[in-house]
């Protein structure tokens, strides 16, 4: 790499590490899920919060792609999206301070803050990915993602320990000041991460010769879906993937309902998630760099089966007299295993998917490819709401079983994906 590419590489690593560490202070699948369940007692609303955070990162991209496709430099779009994320994050802290005695209102305000913050994150995805593709040679992208997750995981593990302490009686912080402390720490670290990416030296790159009307941009995306077989296969894989992780947000409510787990212990899940992400990321990066993203897809998707499989076994055995007593004494290691193996698997599929999507389109059509893929994927992020509904209408066992079946489908599709890097 040239000196400029090397500088950009490490700034992007710092951005990824800071973002992951900062978000660990208020992780939606642990900390915020526990808070939402405490406020509402509803698995559906827990799933709604998780889905809102996920869908926010996807839905704006088709509009953003059509607006910035013709721009040689995309950094200004990233800049203002970062400002909106900081302001909406701060509004969630203010909501906790002002409305903590009104659980329903507080949930609504936190949901709105989450929707705005994640939507602003969705605005930054297209410029972020385009800048990465222009700034980092393709041969180094797998390792870039690996380093981002390595250092992010190490930072997030420390954040997880902070969550354990802040939410425990030892800290002396009572509700809502405990959650305000965590959100404030997350805001400071995330803001620093955004600033690091803003310092990236964005080179000019290939761009559309002139802006296109939105409908023409949309029709072009539809043509890609109809004509590009690899694009369609990747989308089908995403259907299986999102359905294969849909019940993960229910693990904490399941543990609270079944084993009456103290909320402070969710911090151990955050720490376990962070450490497993850190140390697995380099392995995934090496696998992707040496054997390609297709092999990485297959291995990580196969590993993904372990999390819903373990959760399903626990849900089924929790109502059997003999195993129930054993589970009551040993549930914490099993829950930690679920979070660790889920995190490792999702890390592998995340690196594979990013490298795949960067390599799939021609350089001048990258915005429309990424925008179309992520916009089509937006409805798939509602699957946690579906999982919450299944658990509410039937049982946790049914939700975990549906998730396990979807993971099997994703594994079958992964064998149809070809290297694009």
């Amino acid at each position: 790499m040239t000196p400029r590419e090397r500088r950009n590489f490490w700034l992007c690593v710092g951005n990824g590490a800071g973002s992951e560490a900062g978000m660990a202070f208020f992780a939606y699948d642990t900390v915020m899920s526990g808070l939402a369940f405490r406020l509402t007692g509803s698995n559906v609303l827990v799933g709604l919060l998780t889905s809102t955070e996920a869908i926010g990162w996807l839905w704006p991209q088709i509009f953003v792609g059509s607006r910035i496709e013709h721009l040689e430099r995309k950094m200004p779009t990233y800049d203002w999206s970062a400002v909106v994320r900081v302001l909406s994050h701060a509004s969630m802290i203010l909501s906790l301070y002002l409305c903590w005695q009104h659980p329903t209102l507080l949930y609504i305000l936190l949901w709105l803050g989450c929707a705005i913050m994640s939507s602003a994150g969705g605005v930054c995805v297209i410029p972020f990915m385009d800048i990465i593709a222009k700034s980092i040679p393709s041969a180094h992208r797998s390792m870039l993602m690996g380093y981002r997750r390595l250092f992010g995981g190490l930072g997030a593990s420390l954040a997880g320990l902070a969550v354990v302490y802040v939410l425990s009686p030892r800290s002396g912080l009572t509700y809502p000041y405990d959650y305000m402390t965590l959100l404030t720490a997350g805001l400071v670290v995330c803001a620093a991460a955004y600033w690091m990416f803003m310092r990236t030296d964005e080179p000019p790159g290939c761009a559309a010769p002139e802006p296109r009307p939105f409908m023409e941009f949309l029709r072009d995306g539809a043509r890609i879906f109809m004509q590009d077989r690899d694009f369609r296969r990747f989308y089908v894989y995403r259907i299986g993937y999102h359905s294969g992780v849909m019940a993960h947000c229910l693990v904490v409510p399941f543990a609270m309902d079944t084993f009456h787990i103290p909320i402070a212990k969710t911090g151990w899940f955050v720490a376990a998630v962070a450490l497993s992400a850190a140390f697995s990321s380099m392995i995934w990066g090496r696998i992707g760099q040496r054997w390609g993203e297709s092999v990485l897809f297959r291995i990580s998707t196969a590993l993904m089966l372990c999390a819903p499989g373990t959760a399903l076994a626990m849900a089924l055995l929790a109502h059997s007299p003999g195993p129930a007593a054993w589970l009551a004494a040993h549930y914490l290691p099993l829950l930690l295993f679920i979070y660790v193996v889920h995190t490792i698997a999702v890390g592998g599929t995340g690196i594979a998917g990013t490298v795949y999507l960067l390599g799939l389109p021609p350089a001048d059509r990258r915005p429309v490819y990424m925008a179309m893929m992520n916009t089509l994927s937006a409805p798939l992020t509602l699957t946690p709401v579906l999982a919450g509904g299944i658990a509410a209408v039937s049982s946790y066992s049914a939700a975990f079983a549906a998730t396990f079946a979807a993971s099997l489908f994703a594994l079958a599709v992964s064998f149809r994906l070809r290297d694009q890097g």
Side-chain angles (χ1 to χ4, degrees):
M1 288 189 290
T2 66
R4 182 172 75 170
E5 290 171 343
R6 190 174 295 108
R7 177 178 180 273
N8 286 341
F9 182 95
W10 289 110
L11 282 172
C12 291
V13 168
N15 163 260
S19 296
E20 189 167 339
M23 293 183 71
F25 283 102
F26 58 101
Y28 280 90
D29 60 347
T30 51
V31 178
M32 296 303 289
S33 288
L35 176 58
F37 192 70
R38 173 177 179 169
L39 293 174
T40 67
S42 169
N43 285 317
V44 173
L45 291 179
V46 171
L48 178 62
L49 185 67
T50 304
S51 291
T52 298
E53 194 268 340
I55 201 171
W57 283 91
L58 300 178
W59 76 264
Q61 294 184 34
I62 193 71
F63 304 102
V64 175
S66 67
R67 294 295 299 272
I68 71 172
E69 180 187 32
H70 66 288
L71 301 177
E72 285 192 356
R73 297 185 186 275
K74 313 292 196 300
M75 187 62 80
T77 304
Y78 181 93
D79 293 346
W80 77 257
S81 72
V83 172
V84 174
R85 277 188 280 174
V86 168
L87 293 176
S88 55
H89 194 150
S91 74
M92 295 172 71
I93 301 171
L94 184 62
S95 297
L96 268 166
Y97 177 70
L98 296 176
C99 304
W100 64 275
Q101 292 179 310
H102 307 281
T104 301
L105 176 60
L106 178 56
Y107 174 84
I108 293 172
L109 292 175
L110 291 175
W111 178 84
L112 286 172
C114 166
I116 295 170
M117 182 165 61
S118 59
S119 295
V123 169
C124 86
V125 170
I126 300 297
F128 173 83
M129 296 284 277
D130 193 70
I131 293 167
I132 290 288
K134 291 187 296 185
S135 304
I136 309 299
S138 59
H140 297 276
R141 290 172 192 162
S142 289
M143 288 309 301
L144 170 68
M145 299 303 163
Y147 276 123
R148 282 167 64 91
R149 291 178 180 271
L150 170 64
F151 295 116
L154 293 174
S157 66
L158 297 177
L161 296 177
V163 171
V164 173
Y165 176 74
V166 169
L167 293 180
S168 70
R170 289 179 299 144
S171 70
L173 293 171
T174 58
Y175 175 78
Y177 299 104
D178 47 3
Y179 284 100
M180 288 174 60
T181 299
L182 295 176
L183 280 167
T184 301
L187 173 59
V188 172
V189 178
C190 285
Y194 305 153
W195 178 83
M196 291 187 73
F197 192 78
M198 292 176 184
R199 302 287 296 168
T200 301
D201 185 8
E202 178 190 4
C206 296
E210 59 185 17
R212 292 190 288 172
F214 175 72
M215 291 308 298
E216 181 181 337
F217 183 87
L218 198 60
R219 285 193 295 269
D220 190 21
R223 283 193 294 270
I224 290 170
F225 186 85
M226 297 299 296
Q227 297 172 5
D228 193 323
R229 182 177 58 183
D230 290 323
F231 184 95
R232 290 196 305 275
R233 286 176 176 172
F234 185 43
Y235 180 67
V236 173
Y237 172 81
R238 280 196 164 188
I239 294 174
Y241 166 79
H242 280 284
S243 302
V245 298
M246 65 178 177
H248 186 65
C249 67
L250 299 180
V251 173
V252 167
F254 164 69
M256 293 171 71
D257 265 350
T258 307
F259 305 111
H260 308 292
I261 182 173
I263 191 66
K265 287 189 181 294
T266 59
W268 291 110
F269 300 156
V270 175
V273 163
L275 286 173
S276 55
F279 292 110
S280 65
S281 61
M282 297 307 297
I283 299 174
W284 291 138
R286 294 293 183 188
I287 291 174
Q289 189 172 45
R290 182 170 182 178
W291 287 294
E293 63 268 25
S294 61
V295 173
L296 186 52
F297 271 124
R298 294 163 196 167
I299 297 174
S300 56
T301 308
L303 189 62
M304 194 169 73
L305 289 164
C306 297
T310 303
L312 175 59
M314 291 180 68
L316 292 173
L317 294 175
H319 302 290
S320 301
W326 184 88
L327 280 176
H330 301 91
Y331 67 86
L332 187 58
L334 291 172
L335 292 172
L336 286 172
F337 172 77
I338 289 173
Y339 274 96
V340 167
V341 75
H342 173 86
T343 301
I344 293 173
V346 167
T349 57
I351 291 174
T354 300
V355 174
Y356 186 94
L357 196 51
L358 286 174
L360 181 61
D364 61 338
R365 303 190 72 195
R366 193 177 294 118
V368 65
Y369 264 76
M370 290 188 294
M372 192 66 182
M373 176 60 69
N374 289 327
T375 301
L376 288 172
S377 299
L380 304 178
T381 60
L382 292 172
T383 52
V385 178
L386 173 62
I390 294 172
V393 173
S394 180
S395 64
Y396 286 112
S397 300
F400 294 139
T403 300
F404 184 81
S407 299
L408 283 173
F409 173 76
L411 178 60
V413 177
S414 71
F415 283 87
R416 305 293 303 278
L417 299 178
R418 303 184 300 173
D419 289 340
Q420 301 294 328

